[in-house]
Amino acid sequence: MDKRKKFELLAKVESELAKRADSLGILTLSEAERTYLLGCWAKGALDCNGFAYFFAGPCDAEATALAFEGLGFYDAAAACCRAVAELPNGKPIQDSEQLTAWVKQQGEPLIERWNGFCKPIWDISSEQFDEALAKFIREHKDGFDLKLDISPLL
């Protein structure tokens, strides 16, 4: 399967899972489906604006670290753990205004540390990420309940 078709099919898998999670709740997804979806979401969020953006949305840093680990990105998983450890009590601040105020109070040194933690995530190329997703689907095909035909990935 060529790279473009693989990318498009993997994006369709993510879209189908996201729609189901949005309508029925993420806990209705299987463990494999949650790993896939959280990995995709986190990679996208962190690639855009790093941990400040990631923590501004609803996130489960522990589940995200486990998702990266499940996809084989151990350095990315460790980066999530290091970034969340910087937060008060080692837990994300749920209120976005409080988070923004706390980040401003910490200043540029925090952003620089968080950006350093993002490096192993930013270093994952699109091709590497897509291959890891395809491999994950192959290894956990029984954990996916999709309307979409994923047989080209298997």
Side-chain angles (χ1 to χ4, degrees):
M1 169 177 266
D2 71 39
K3 289 179 189 180
R4 181 75 181 152
K5 288 185 180 185
K6 182 191 294 184
F7 170 80
E8 290 170 356
L9 184 52
L10 293 170
K12 287 178 183 177
V13 170
E14 179 184 1
S15 178
E16 183 177 328
L17 295 174
K19 286 176 186 171
R20 191 160 18 117
D22 285 345
S23 66
L24 301 173
I26 194 158
L27 295 178
T28 64
L29 301 180
S30 71
E31 184 178 335
E33 291 169 332
R34 282 192 307 272
T35 296
Y36 186 99
L37 185 60
L38 286 173
C40 290
W41 174 78
K43 175 75 168 128
L46 292 164
D47 277 352
C48 283
N49 288 313
F51 282 105
Y53 179 72
F54 175 77
F55 289 130
C59 70
D60 181 336
E62 184 179 338
T64 300
L66 290 172
F68 277 133
E69 193 173 286
L71 293 171
F73 297 113
Y74 302 102
D75 290 344
C80 288
C81 294
R82 286 193 306 274
V84 79
E86 296 277 324
L87 295 165
N89 301 317
K91 295 183 180 183
I93 300 169
Q94 300 301 316
D95 182 276
S96 62
E97 289 179 15
Q98 288 178 358
L99 174 66
T100 300
W102 183 81
V103 169
K104 283 183 182 177
Q105 181 184 35
Q106 302 304 305
E108 195 60 32
L110 173 69
I111 299 300
E112 288 177 13
R113 284 191 308 277
W114 275 353
N115 286 344
F117 297 154
C118 274
K119 185 170 178 359
I121 297 160
W122 292 342
D123 286 347
I124 301 168
S125 71
S126 295
E127 292 81 15
Q128 287 173 307
F129 197 70
D130 287 352
E131 186 49 44
L133 291 173
K135 179 181 177 188
F136 185 80
I137 287 174
R138 284 191 299 274
E139 292 175 351
H140 298 89
K141 63 182 176 275
D142 293 338
F144 285 84
D145 182 21
L146 301 166
K147 295 176 183 169
L148 186 66
D149 176 21
I150 58 169
S151 62
L153 295 170
L154 303 178

